[in-house]
């Protein structure tokens, strides 16, 4: 029996948003690999899973991914994490790397999976609920309806970039949007986009959760997402 | 005790991709509302949940949503479904409407939820795994990495529309893409986008599943999605 690597998305915060498959794989794991931004740091993903998975008796393996704009630092983190994982796979362990949200969207998992797969080990990725899906569901809005289009963009720098995207798309998800909140409010006023067409998602399913209208007076953390809807969806006009 | 309405995304096919919360809510439901495209038709969403949820003793409520380009037909379907749901909510029932994939992305759930909420009933939406997340995970590719952008577009009509989107975006998800496969292959040749940058997802987690390269000689069903990646992701160049 050879080892196997799983990359598992654990959803944005509510442990109830773990999939049945993710729970089962975590329960069967020998090693749970936990990405952190610096050594010894608490992991949100781990706090989520320990509410529904018994982790007693499993090795908890810390893997450090420094927050950096330098891709070479990031690559060496990924390599180091992959080496730690590989050492366990050699011993025929079942290793599960957990990641917040969905494993296919801006996740550290993919890098480790690519390295480990390239070494010939079996790997499997288990999708998770993304923060924007969970946030939209909480807010009671659709990310896209009917023939609408949807754009997901990380860290827009200015209103011109947003303007270009909004010209082409009906719905826009702005990731890491904390620094954009101020100019976004101004932009919506100028373009006469109703305030209710934007929903801010912050810490979905976690302590300090905020899901609500754009409020320039609030402070927002790094993982802030804003959904901007150009239209108002299919049925609302008729209801009003 | 008043009734409550839940709109629940059940994922694309594998019952293991149901969330823990979705399973629990379905187990507690009095009524499971099942959208079908015509009366008496089998529902894929229902086939998924019955593998993990005991439905014995619950009312299974068929709600018909005809496949149509006419929004007035669609609206009357939604109204009729909402009326059926409302009649049960009045009797203080827990009603769960199930939908394939994610409830916030091109789902019938939202319309019914809007109607029922407007009548003053409590409603809750539970997000699900979308077919493109599950498909990307199966194919071992990221929908977006690092600073990449992602676009989700339903039913593109021609290569020019795709060209406009690909100019602006790193990754594009083409929904309902069965009719686009032929010109998409031609377009990728012309633009010198490697064939391996496109992945076709068909019936993810269901009978007849196909997750693989663009193959113009195959027949694809209505729910075919194509992921086109402009780049090759962050780490691959270095590995090669």
């Amino acid at each position: 029996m050879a080892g196997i690597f799983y990359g598992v998305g654990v959803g944005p915060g509510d442990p109830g948003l773990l999939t049945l498959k993710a729970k089962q794989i975590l329960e069967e794991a020998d090693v749970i690999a936990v990405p952190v931004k610096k050594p010894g740091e608490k992991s949100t993903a781990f706090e989520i899973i320990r509410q529904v998975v018994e982790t007693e008796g499993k090795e908890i393996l810390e893997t450090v991914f420094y927050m950096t704009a330098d891709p070479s630092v990031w690559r060496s983190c990924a390599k180091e994490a992959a080496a730690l994982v590989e050492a366990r796979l050699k011993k025929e362990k079942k290793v599960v790397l957990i990641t917040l949200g969905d494993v296919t969207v801006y996740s550290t998992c993919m890098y480790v999976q690519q390295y480990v797969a390239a070494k010939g080990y079996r790997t499997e990725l288990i999708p998770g609920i993304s923060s924007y899906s969970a946030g939209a569901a909480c807010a009671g809005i659709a990310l896209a309806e009917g023939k609408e289009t949807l754009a997901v963009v990380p860290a827009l720098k200015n209103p011109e970039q947003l303007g270009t995207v909004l010209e082409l798309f009906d719905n826009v998800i702005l990731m890491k949007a904390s620094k954009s909140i101020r100019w976004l409010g101004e932009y919506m006023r100028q373009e006469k986009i109703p305030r209710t067409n934007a929903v801010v998602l912050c810490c979905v399913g976690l302590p300090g959760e905020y899901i609500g209208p754009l409020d320039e007076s609030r402070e927002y953390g790094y993982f802030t997402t804003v959904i901007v809807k150009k239209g108002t969806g299919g049925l609302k006009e008729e209801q009003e």
Side-chain angles (χ1 to χ4, degrees), chain A residues 122-141:
Chain A
R122 271 173 66 210
T123 67
E124 196 177 328
L125 298 172
I126 311 297
I129 302 290
S130 61
S131 62
Y132 49 78
S133 273
C138 271
I141 58 168

Side-chain angles (χ1 to χ4, degrees), chain A residues 105-120:
Chain A
V105 181
Y106 306 114
S107 144
T108 47
C109 251
M110 300 301 297
Y111 298 89
V112 179
Q113 186 264 344
Q114 283 166 20
Y115 274 118
V116 173
K119 295 278 180 114

